[in-house]
Amino acid sequence: MVGIDIEQVDRFKNLDTHLKQRVYTKNEIEYCEKFENSSIHFAGIWCAKEAVVKCLSELNLVVSEIEILHQNNGAPYVNVTPKLQQYFDDKKFKNIHISISHINQNAIAIAMLEK
Ligand SMILES: CC(C)(COP(=O)(O)OP(=O)(O)OC[C@H]1O[C@@H](n2cnc3c(N)ncnc32)[C@H](O)[C@@H]1OP(=O)(O)O)[C@@H](O)C(=O)NCCC(=O)NCCS
C-alpha cells in the first residue's frame, strides 16, 4: 500500500500556535523551527502525515496521531507507536517508509508499507 500528499507551502506560514500544537508533536515543532524557513518543513511533515494516513487508511488515523522524526543524516521516518506496531504485527507488515521533497511553493511526500 502507498499514500501521497502535496500541499502549498503558503498555507503553513505564520501557523497559529494552538493549531500548531494540535497538529504537530513537540519534536516536529522543534525540528521545523530550527530552520529559518520553517513553513516549508511544516508543509513537508504535514504531507508525510497525510501520506501515512492514506497508506494506513484501514486504521482511520488522524494526523496528530502520526509523528515524523528525522535521522541524523536528515532522512525522515515514522515514529512507530504501539498502535502502529500492533497493526504491523497483525498484518505482517515490516515497516512504513516515507520520503519528503519541497520546492518553492510546494511540498510533497509519499509513504509506502513494507511487507
Ligand atoms: C537529502 C537530499 C537528497 C535532499 O535533496 P534536496 O533536493 O536538497 O531537497 P528535497 O526538497 O528534495 O528534500 C528535502 C527532504 O529530504 C529529506 N531528507 C533529508 N536528508 C535525507 C536523507 N539523507 N535521506 C532521505 N531523505 C532525506 C527530508 O525529509 C527533507 O525535508 P524535511 O527536512 O522538510 O523533512 C540532499 O540534501 C542530499 O543528497 N543529501 C545527502 C546527505 C546529506 O548531505 N545530508 C546532510 C545532512 S547532515
Side-chain angles (χ1 to χ4, degrees):
M1 277 177 281
V2 295
I4 189 165
D5 189 48
I6 185 167
E7 296 289 345
Q8 298 268 14
V9 170
D10 276 358
R11 283 187 55 208
F12 298 82
K13 282 190 177 145
N14 307 314
L15 282 176
D16 169 73
T17 306
H18 179 67
L19 175 77
K20 200 189 290 179
Q21 289 170 351
R22 211 156 45 83
V23 169
Y24 297 97
T25 68
K26 193 167 166 284
N27 290 324
E28 291 168 339
I29 294 171
E30 264 175 34
Y31 176 80
C32 295
E33 291 185 343
K34 277 193 310 201
F35 298 92
E36 199 179 326
N37 182 8
S38 61
S39 56
I40 209 162
H41 301 279
F42 278 118
I45 287 183
W46 173 273
C47 288
K49 286 167 176 274
E50 285 280 28
V52 170
V53 167
K54 288 182 186 174
C55 194
L56 301 173
S57 53
E58 262 186 346
L59 275 177
N60 290 317
L61 294 170
V62 291
V63 288
S64 56
E65 286 182 277
I66 298 155
E67 183 173 45
I68 308 298
L69 299 175
H70 289 77
Q71 294 172 10
N72 289 338
N73 68 357
Y77 66 95
V78 178
N79 181 15
V80 178
T81 58
K83 179 177 174 177
L84 280 189
Q85 190 59 57
Q86 185 62 56
Y87 176 75
F88 291 173
D89 292 346
D90 291 348
K91 299 282 181 175
K92 308 215 179 327
F93 290 122
K94 286 197 187 125
N95 204 351
I96 185 163
H97 302 281
I98 55 169
S99 188
I100 298 172
S101 188
H102 24 63
I103 185 167
N104 299 330
Q105 290 309 308
N106 293 100
I108 188 167
I110 60 163
M112 191 178 295
L113 273 169
E114 180 185 357
K115 191 84 175 169

